[in-house]
Amino acid sequence: MEASSPTTDRLEAFSDGVFAVAATLLVLNLKPGSHGTLAHRLASQWPHYATYVVSFLTIGIIWLNHHSQFNRIERPDRTLMVLNLFLLLFVTLTAFPTGLLADNLRSGSNAHVAAAFYAATMLAMSIAFFSLYVWAARQRLFAGWIDDRQAAYLLRRNGAGLLVYAVAIGLAFISAIVSLALGGAVAIFYLLPGRRAETA
Amino acid sequence: MEASSPTTDRLEAFSDGVFAVAATLLVLNLKPGSHGTLAHRLASQWPHYATYVVSFLTIGIIWLNHHSQFNRIERPDRTLMVLNLFLLLFVTLTAFPTGLLADNLRSGSNAHVAAAFYAATMLAMSIAFFSLYVWAARQRLFAGWIDDRQAAYLLRRNGAGLLVYAVAIGLAFISAIVSLALGGAVAIFYLLPGRRAETA
Amino acid sequence: MEASSPTTDRLEAFSDGVFAVAATLLVLNLKPGSHGTLAHRLASQWPHYATYVVSFLTIGIIWLNHHSQFNRIERPDRTLMVLNLFLLLFVTLTAFPTGLLADNLRSGSNAHVAAAFYAATMLAMSIAFFSLYVWAARQRLFAGWIDDRQAAYLLRRNGAGLLVYAVAIGLAFISAIVSLALGGAVAIFYLLPGRRAETA
Amino acid sequence: MEASSPTTDRLEAFSDGVFAVAATLLVLNLKPGSHGTLAHRLASQWPHYATYVVSFLTIGIIWLNHHSQFNRIERPDRTLMVLNLFLLLFVTLTAFPTGLLADNLRSGSNAHVAAAFYAATMLAMSIAFFSLYVWAARQRLFAGWIDDRQAAYLLRRNGAGLLVYAVAIGLAFISAIVSLALGGAVAIFYLLPGRRAETA
């Protein structure tokens, strides 16, 4: 009993560290372009800024929701920790598809592949997060103060992202920019407060 | 009620992680120059050292003030968390304009653009921090032991930076070095202890 | 007495930070290949993905076990802290042999050397972790609720990895890929829950 | 009163983050050499491994001592926080002189400059740490359970490093390797347990 509380704490400390580093490493993708004046070289890099903001907010939101969720979990089990590790594996990966999409957003057919790869990473991240939620709900790891209606609401809310990211993968082959914009829309949607339970 | 205290803790843990990584990543901008002996190549890099110190201290101070402020907040709400995310987005960005200014500080017209971009990032960071403060004050999220006079003082103290960074953007087009020096002066000003409330 | 609990806390906080950064830095090794379409360039990088996953999971598992272990330690002594520092030295190193193996996995004789170097780093990490365990057990630093049978079980479980990594070093000179796969198998083995004591 | 304990906590959390990132970033300096077989290219990089180990252990030790010290501090004041920021500035810097020394250890006169710069960074770090200690002692920020004899002992122990690093700067101009070795010797000296008070 005594041991379970520090367990949650360290799980969160490690996760917070990974979220923080993954979000901060994104800056390493930013570089000025190579032609013209500095003003021109900075302006030409808008795909890097756009992807930076979408990726940063996405990691930020996953952190926010991770935080809401683990707040309610009293006794994490080993499976939850392993699922959490898979979530972090994709969070950590984010800088790679982000840089790739920024570098290729204006390069014809490569843009489609880069955007699909980007959306696929987001989807993988969401699936990992969703599994975490489903496992915790099934094993009744949540503290008592969450009722069935709240659980169903959270399931819908967490699940919605999955669907949208799957759509974003398809959209990538029509327009890379629209696919990225959809990723940005998901981030903004989750930034807005949900119902009561979500804000706890 | 029980949940609110770990909430602040994790908000701070994640923020501390981002502050720490953002401050430490600045070192990746440091590289010896490419001509002459090592001593000469090291000496020629003074713009990198100057921007490194100003950026490091600026992040350090925002951390210090972030810390003073969240110490007083008892129940962060979702909006505060989102505003905090925007603050961290700009903190994370710092390494980019820092490297840019270091690389261009001695390159004529590009120096002006780089210094303006640098000061603009600082301004964005300050605006985000200021919004955080105003929101917390308006929603009465601060603990009881802050009175109206203290609140007004903190408002003035936090707001002063905004004005100075706006001036630094303008100054950048006259002298990049003076603009950077002004940024350094802001950092030193905030390092000095404020009145009682600030040091709590 | 009062001081011993924050001591463990900070030891864990610093270690968690190193684990988190070391795991996240692995992403910097990922780069698209240089020939053909982006899809082809991404596909050609499978050695980078394979080594990324194995290294990430290995660090993740060491973190999980580190966490289980320090949960049971009540009063860390200075020797334990120094041993922990040696463990972290090798954890931190991981990105280097990981990138090396990814770059050389398909390059004939260099592949053998890279795989042996990779497995040797894993072995060094395991030896450091094992020493930590043996020291804590001998000095009776564990809390009372671990009995002799559990201790013997943990000794066997922690020691098994040593043997397998030693085998992986030898295997590297026959097949670099099989050696890497063995490293992956160790990671998966430790991801699976052990007996009761392990999951505490 | 209530606020002072979280204050120490966050100061430590931020510092731990910086220590952890600074120590882990050192790995980015490691790269295989460019001539011959991989085995040869790895072996030729011994200056990188040597500097990596010395820098990692130095950061580790400063962390250990930082930790011992802040454990005893009950009420950090703003000055202490600012001094701590200066310490972290030099800790963060470490990767730069480390890479520089590794790259130049075998390059004649540049080696002397690189080794002197390296030792100077260590000296700056020690001075910052020493100031922290002296300030805390003078302001009586330490908890009651440290007596005058312990304080004098800690002063001597913390001060000794200053002297040795100053010697290492001079030695750098005779032999870069001996200067680096002296830095390594300091690290090992501090790894060994001191008297009682140090191990608390």
Side-chain angles (χ1 to χ4, degrees), chain D residues 107-152:
Chain D
S107 67
S109 65
N110 285 344
H112 301 310
V113 174
F117 184 57
Y118 184 81
T121 307
M122 300 287 153
L123 179 62
M125 214 148 79
S126 307
I127 291 174
F129 190 77
F130 193 67
S131 314
L132 209 67
Y133 175 78
V134 171
W135 176 262
R138 215 174 257 185
Q139 300 293 311
R140 307 205 169 280
L141 302 176
F142 290 118
W145 46 288
I146 182 168
D147 64 30
D148 281 0
R149 250 186 40 213
Q150 281 176 321

Side-chain angles (χ1 to χ4, degrees), chain C residues 8 10-11 15 20-21 37 39 48 62-63 67 70 74-75 78 97 119 125-126 132 146 153 155 165 169 188 195-196:
Chain C
T8 320
R10 265 199 84 182
L11 184 64
S15 304
V21 183
T37 64
H48 284 83
I62 297 212
W63 172 76
H67 164 70
F70 276 84
E74 279 184 340
R75 280 157 293 133
R78 182 111 181 168
M125 214 147 79
S126 306
L132 210 67
I146 182 168
Y153 166 71
L155 194 71
Y165 286 129
I169 296 178
I188 290 167
R195 284 198 228 147
R196 203 82 238 289

Side-chain angles (χ1 to χ4, degrees), chain A:
Chain A
M1 199 67 195
E2 241 178 293
S4 72
S5 157
T7 298
T8 320
D9 283 2
R10 264 199 85 182
L11 184 63
E12 292 185 7
F14 178 67
S15 304
D16 284 352
V18 170
F19 282 119
V21 184
T24 314
L25 280 188
L26 293 170
V27 75
L28 299 182
N29 283 322
L30 300 179
K31 275 173 199 105
S34 47
H35 299 299
T37 64
L38 184 61
H40 182 80
R41 283 157 56 202
L42 280 174
S44 73
Q45 293 303 90
W46 64 263
H48 284 83
Y49 310 140
T51 52
Y52 174 79
V53 170
V54 174
S55 292
F56 186 93
L57 293 183
T58 303
I59 291 179
I61 277 144
I62 298 212
W63 172 76
L64 271 178
N65 289 339
H66 189 269
H67 164 70
S68 297
Q69 194 149 310
F70 276 84
N71 241 9
R72 296 196 203 93
I73 292 178
E74 278 184 342
R75 280 158 292 132
D77 57 13
R78 181 109 182 169
T79 302
L80 199 81
M81 284 185 166
V82 171
L83 288 174
N84 190 52
L85 218 54
F86 279 99
L87 170 63
L88 297 180
L89 188 144
F90 291 110
V91 168
T92 290
L93 191 64
T94 309
F96 178 51
T98 302
L100 214 66
L101 182 53
D103 285 338
N104 291 283
L105 195 58
R106 289 168 299 185
S107 66
S109 66
N110 284 344
H112 300 309
V113 174
F117 184 57
Y118 183 81
T121 308
M122 300 287 153
L123 180 62
M125 214 148 78
S126 307
I127 290 175
F129 190 77
F130 193 67
S131 313
L132 209 68
Y133 175 78
V134 170
W135 176 262
R138 215 174 256 182
Q139 300 293 310
R140 307 204 170 281
L141 302 176
F142 289 118
W145 46 288
I146 181 168
D147 64 28
D148 282 0
R149 249 187 40 213
Q150 281 176 321
Y153 165 70
L154 286 171
L155 193 71
R156 278 201 313 278
R157 186 168 162 94
N158 286 331
L162 295 188
L163 213 74
V164 183
Y165 286 129
V167 170
I169 296 178
L171 260 179
F173 293 99
I174 300 170
S175 163
I177 292 178
V178 174
S179 176
L180 172 64
L182 190 59
V186 174
I188 290 167
F189 169 75
Y190 282 114
L191 277 183
L192 302 176
R195 281 197 231 148
R196 203 81 237 290
E198 194 62 17
T199 62

Side-chain angles (χ1 to χ4, degrees), chain B residues 43-186:
Chain B
S44 73
Q45 293 304 87
W46 65 263
H48 285 83
Y49 310 139
T51 52
Y52 174 79
V53 170
V54 174
S55 292
F56 186 92
L57 293 183
T58 303
I59 292 179
I61 277 144
I62 297 212
W63 172 76
L64 272 179
N65 289 339
H66 189 269
H67 164 68
S68 297
Q69 194 149 310
F70 276 85
N71 240 9
R72 296 196 203 93
I73 291 178
E74 278 184 340
R75 281 158 292 131
D77 58 12
R78 183 110 182 167
T79 303
L80 200 81
M81 284 184 165
V82 170
L83 288 174
N84 191 52
L85 217 55
F86 279 100
L87 170 63
L88 296 180
L89 188 143
F90 291 109
V91 168
T92 290
L93 191 63
T94 309
F96 178 50
T98 302
L100 214 66
L101 182 52
D103 286 338
N104 292 282
L105 195 57
R106 289 169 298 185
S107 66
S109 65
N110 285 344
H112 300 309
V113 174
F117 184 57
Y118 183 82
T121 307
M122 301 287 154
L123 179 62
M125 215 148 79
S126 306
I127 291 175
F129 190 78
F130 192 67
S131 313
L132 209 67
Y133 175 77
V134 171
W135 176 261
R138 215 174 257 183
Q139 300 293 310
R140 308 206 169 279
L141 302 176
F142 289 118
W145 46 289
I146 182 169
D147 65 28
D148 282 0
R149 249 188 39 212
Q150 281 176 322
Y153 165 71
L154 288 170
L155 194 71
R156 277 201 314 279
R157 187 169 161 94
N158 286 331
L162 294 187
L163 212 74
V164 182
Y165 286 129
V167 170
I169 295 179
L171 260 178
F173 293 99
I174 299 170
S175 163
I177 291 178
V178 174
S179 176
L180 172 64
L182 191 59
V186 174

